[in-house]
Structures are given as C-alpha cells and as structure tokens.
Amino acid sequence: MRTVIVGAGQAGRRTAEALRGLDPEREILLLGAEEEPPYDRPPLSKEILLGEARPKGLMQREMNAYAAERIDLRLGVRVVAIDPSGRCATTADGTRIEYDQLVLATGAQARRLKLPGADDPRVMVLRNLDDARVLHAMLRPGLRLAVAGAGLIGLEVAAAAAQLGCAVTVLEMGPRAMVRSMPALIAERVAGWHRAAGMVLHFGCALTAITPQNTGLLLATGQGEIEADLLLVAIGAVADDALARQAGIAVADGILVDAHGRTGTPNIFAAGEVASIRQPDGRHVRFESWQVAQQQPLAVANAICGIDKPYAELPWHWTDQHGHNVQVFGAHEPGFDWIERDDGAGRFAALGLDAEGRVRGAVLIDNGRDATPVRRIIAGGQRIDRERLSDVSVGLRLLC
Amino acid sequence: MVWHDVAPAEDFEPDVPKVIEVGEERIAVYHLDDGFYAISDICTHQYAILSDGFCEHGKVECPLHQACFDIRTGRALDEPAEIALATYPTRIEGGVVQVSLG
C-alpha cells in the first residue's frame, strides 16, 4: 500500500507522521517542491524577521528523522499532474509515481498585486522560509517599509519591522485592520498598539500604482503618494488547488472535502490550508491557520486507514504583536453582542454572543489561561446569564 | 542538596501553582492530589510562562500555543512542544514546601 502526499509543509508532515503512527507497514512518500524539510509558518512573520535562524516554532526536523520513521521525503520535487483514473502523479522531470491514496497538501500562495511595477524586486510577499530570510536581510533601522494589507501577516511583519527600527506605513483597502480574522473591537486595540509604536496606518486606502525609482518606490494611493524603500504585499493567500482543478477534482477557492478530508474523487484527499472543509450546515470553509494544518491531517490519516474520526475542531488562531498575544476562538460575526472582561492586570477577554444569547466566539488578549474555559463555553452552547459573563470576579473556568 | 522555601503547604490551592525564581531558573510548584510537584515554568517550545496557563487534572497548558505538559513528569503531551520540562524534587519541611535544583 502506498500513500503519496503532495506538499511537504506542516500539513504534509502531519499527514505522514499520523499515517506512520497508525500503520507501520505502509509506504509513505512525502513530496516537497521547496528544498527545505517541512516547517511550520508562524515564525516566518516574527522570529525569523527578528534574526533567529532556527526558531523552535518552525518544528523543522532533520532529514534523518524522516528516514527513521520510514517516510520517504523527497525535496525539490514538484508534481505537475495527477491522473485519478490511472492513480498516478507525474513530477516536473517526468517521473510517474503510482499511488493507492493521494493526499494533496499543497497549501496556498500569497496573493499578488496586479499593478504595473509590482514585479520590481523591492515589492515582496511573505509566504515561505526563503521569503522570510530575504525580508529579514533587508529590514534595517531607518528603512521605509510600506505594507499593503492590514491582515495578520501584514501587521505581524509591521510589528517586527518597527521593532527593528524601520519606518512603517500600513495601507489597507478595508475600513479597519484584520477584517477577516478579528472582531472590530479587538482590531481597534491592536491598531492602537501599532500607532503607539510610531507606525502610520491608513484605512480605506487602496494602492493604485507603483512607480519604481532609483531612490525607492513611489506608491500612489487613494490618500496621496508615499515613498518607500520596500513594499510588502500582504493581501491574503490563494489556495494552491491547480493540480486538483486540472485533474477534475471539485474546487471552489480550495479543494472541496468532507470532514474526513475526502475529495469527491476516489482515493484522493486534501489536507491543511488547501482544503475547503464541509461544515455541519453543508457549507464549505477554507481555514488559513496553524490549527487546520496541525489537526485536520489527523482526520485524513484516519480516513485513509478506515478510521472514522472527522475533523471537528473549534476554529482557533492567534497572533503575537508588540509583545501581546491575541487568540481568537470560534466565530466572530458582525451582529454579535461582545462582552468585554478586563481584569485590570493586563488580561482581557471578549465573549461574542449571538442573537439567542449563546457564546459563539471569544477573543483573549494576554490571557491564555482562559483558552480552555472559553472553548468549553462555546462548545457547550448553553445560554449563560449576561451579568455573570460580565462579572470579572467570576473566573471563566467556573462558567464552563 | 540545597532546598529553597516555596510557601507553606496550607497556602496552596488546587490547580494554582506557586512560582519561585532561583538564579536563572523560574520554577512552578503545583499541589496535585498525590503531592507537590515542581517543574520549570518556561515552555520548551517558545518563551511563555506556563503558570499563566490553564491547569487541570495534573496537566498545564501553555498560555500561548496550548501545548500541554504533564506536571508530574514534565513530559510534553502534544505539539507544538516536544521537549520535556525539567522537573525538580520537592519536600515539606516544618509545613513549608521546598524545592531543590539538585
């Protein structure tokens, strides 16, 4: 039995390791397009930029660790086509690899700006370890860094660059920071940290033209011209689902899978960020988070081995900026009634109630101790008295 | 063996550690149902103070990235942590919990 995993990032590694744990016999091929052994991405927008060469958070194992697990990790190998009927993948050099099961763990790519001048080498994206190393080498005191996009990645890079003494300007088309990842009340707090660090944030500000000059980049925006030495484009990611699309597997901003990671095509699965996962209400959602790359591959490995353990984690993501840790749990919808709990000692929680008074989402700032309690409160789905939820003297662990 | 006072045993509450610093080491002492246990208070994955994390059933959860550790053995129970925490011997001397760095 041979399982071939396309994509040797976090999700690929987790699929391979989980499969090996479940089945000592199976042949496992893990194919990575990069030359780097698998790594997790959170340090790319933080520690790597600040100069740590090998932060532990990369979770990068040596090649021999894969050999010891009899995982056949092949790097610098790009799969260019798959043939579902012949159960075969073809690599860029023409090698055909047969499989019994195929797992697509190809992740996502940074979305690019479609503007003239965007191909200048001073216009960068941050997606992989090489990008982070190049960016680290360029960040220096006094550098004028413009960041297009005030999402998680854009703001994490902005925070690191400010720490290194760069002069940072953030340009965001939307009305506020982190529209997709945080409720407004949290985004306002985070924006406040950035402004306090001397950064300039422009909202409702579209970048309309990039003019490369000898002295820098001239950026035209809806709010005037800005000169920068470097522009980081951090406007989101696009699922790398081209292989699936070409093979006739259903995609819609990501490969459509069920809670076990099964695509509609027999023997083909999708793991991690490339997967758009069917939810209990029938909708498909693609998550861009460490959590999905970490946990959803376990469902895939189980399904491959015939074990029924669907992916059912409560969504969770975090960001670290300006010395603060922010964690988001569950949903954050515009209509929520947010209850704020501030303990006066720097620990903060916000609980998002839906129209029926149920806690559906939560955000914690420098308050990881309440992570498990809020997860349980959300999962429990009980109505909890609003006054009790608001009472900081009642610990959340007593309410779960 | 040098022993350092932590706190009177009667001052401990379940799932709430007491923390002391000895030189460069920051140590958290927990009162579990079968005794007192001392572990390093810094997550082995990334700098985080574990005594700020959620504690239950003999396990403590990193407040940053939710890796769990076994308080009795120091063992890392799930990713992103993989390296065990240092553990230290404890004893009760005249009603006071003490810890030794060996």
Side-chain angles (χ1 to χ4, degrees):
Chain A
M1 190 71 80
R2 177 196 281 166
T3 302
V4 174
I5 303 164
V6 182
Q10 182 189 355
R13 167 179 74 83
R14 289 286 287 177
T15 307
E17 290 176 351
L19 266 178
R20 177 54 75 227
L22 292 166
D23 180 353
E25 303 300 329
R26 165 186 312 267
E27 196 182 339
I28 302 172
L29 263 69
L30 180 55
L31 309 178
E34 285 176 59
E35 295 290 347
E36 287 284 342
Y39 56 87
D40 291 12
R41 293 180 197 277
L44 271 52
S45 49
K46 310 175 195 72
E47 290 91 340
I48 298 275
L49 300 184
L50 294 173
E52 255 188 80
R54 293 267 162 211
K56 285 185 201 151
L58 286 177
M59 303 297 293
Q60 199 172 27
R61 315 194 193 302
E62 302 289 337
M63 292 298 287
N64 57 24
Y66 292 92
E69 290 291 316
R70 287 167 294 113
I71 294 168
D72 185 358
L73 172 60
R74 301 183 192 173
L75 299 177
V77 174
R78 188 177 290 278
V79 172
V80 294
I82 50 183
D83 169 12
S85 56
R87 290 209 300 215
C88 171
T90 305
T91 66
D93 67 3
T95 306
R96 291 167 56 86
I97 301 172
E98 291 183 357
Y99 63 79
D100 294 293
Q101 300 88 21
L102 184 76
V103 180
L104 295 169
T106 43
Q109 292 182 5
R111 182 177 282 126
R112 308 269 171 170
L113 268 180
K114 293 185 187 80
L115 284 177
D119 54 353
D120 188 278
R122 293 165 291 183
V123 179
M124 296 187 56
V125 295
L126 175 55
R127 179 67 200 172
N128 60 34
L129 196 45
D130 273 346
D131 296 334
R133 287 176 180 144
V134 170
L135 188 55
H136 162 66
M138 296 177 85
L139 296 178
R140 58 175 192 280
L143 180 94
R144 296 169 302 172
L145 174 69
V147 177
L152 283 186
I153 301 298
L155 289 186
E156 287 186 351
V157 172
Q163 197 176 328
L164 294 169
C166 301
V168 184
T169 304
V170 179
L171 313 171
E172 167 59 47
M173 272 173 60
R176 64 170 175 91
M178 303 184 292
V179 169
R180 288 188 310 141
S181 55
M182 304 268 170
L185 80 159
I186 302 298
E188 278 157 28
R189 279 180 180 248
V190 175
W193 304 336
H194 286 264
R195 291 198 171 102
M199 263 179 261
V200 180
L201 305 177
H202 294 295
F203 296 115
C205 181
L207 187 56
T208 53
I210 303 169
T211 311
Q213 299 177 326
N214 289 339
T215 54
L217 301 163
L218 187 63
L219 307 175
T221 79
Q223 298 177 14
E225 285 185 341
I226 292 165
E227 250 194 87
D229 301 308
L230 191 64
L231 171 66
L232 179 81
V233 177
I235 54 172
V238 187
D240 201 344
D241 57 11
L243 272 178
R245 186 186 301 271
Q246 159 266 331
I249 298 164
V251 299
D253 177 34
I255 302 169
L256 301 181
V257 298
D258 65 10
H260 301 272
R262 298 185 194 102
T263 68
T265 302
N267 307 308
I268 299 185
F269 299 77
E273 222 168 42
V274 75
S276 190
I277 303 166
R278 190 178 206 272
Q279 304 298 298
D281 66 4
R283 297 196 181 97
H284 284 80
V285 181
R286 191 171 75 77
F287 299 92
E288 293 173 0
S289 70
W290 181 90
Q291 178 193 37
V292 81
Q294 184 76 1
Q295 305 297 357
Q296 186 265 357
L298 306 184
V300 173
N302 276 299
I304 288 172
C305 295
I307 302 163
D308 179 20
K309 277 198 184 162
Y311 179 68
E313 298 274 320
L314 181 77
W316 166 56
H317 62 268
W318 80 83
T319 180
D320 297 310
Q321 298 177 34
H322 297 294
H324 295 285
N325 169 256
V326 184
Q327 304 189 32
V328 183
F329 302 83
H332 53 95
E333 290 168 16
F336 280 5
D337 169 22
W338 288 94
I339 295 175
E340 299 183 46
R341 294 169 55 101
D342 199 329
D343 76 348
R347 282 193 272 268
F348 175 85
L351 304 168
L353 277 62
D354 65 13
E356 293 172 351
R358 292 191 166 83
V359 179
R360 298 267 315 283
V363 184
L364 303 176
I365 300 178
D366 301 328
N367 185 19
R369 185 177 293 169
D370 280 339
T372 290
V374 299
R375 268 192 307 236
R376 287 180 188 164
I377 289 170
I378 296 169
Q382 308 293 321
R383 280 198 190 83
I384 301 174
D385 181 57
R386 202 179 187 287
E387 243 170 70
R388 265 173 79 76
L389 283 175
S390 311
D391 183 354
V392 182
S393 71
V394 180
L396 287 174
R397 72 181 291 157
L398 299 175
L399 301 177
C400 67
Chain B
M1 214 167 187
V2 179
W3 291 91
H4 305 277
D5 284 356
V6 181
E10 63 186 27
D11 287 1
F12 279 78
E13 294 170 47
D15 298 329
V16 183
K18 301 273 185 201
V19 175
I20 63 162
E21 292 178 54
V22 182
E24 298 291 300
E25 304 296 324
R26 187 184 160 100
I27 297 159
V29 182
Y30 294 79
H31 187 193
L32 304 183
D33 48 19
D34 59 346
F36 291 88
Y37 293 88
I39 52 176
S40 165
D41 197 29
I42 305 301
C43 183
T44 57
H45 162 240
Q46 195 181 319
Y47 187 87
I49 291 174
L50 290 172
S51 55
D52 284 342
F54 184 77
C55 173
E56 188 180 69
H57 306 317
K59 291 185 281 189
V60 62
E61 184 180 76
C62 173
L64 288 191
H65 306 127
Q66 298 174 9
C68 281
F69 294 91
D70 184 319
I71 292 166
R72 292 182 177 85
T73 63
R75 199 158 66 88
L77 299 173
D78 50 18
E79 289 190 5
E82 301 193 298
I83 302 163
L85 297 166
T87 59
Y88 303 94
T90 64
R91 68 177 189 185
I92 300 176
E93 193 67 18
V96 173
V97 177
Q98 296 182 320
V99 64
S100 175
L101 273 65

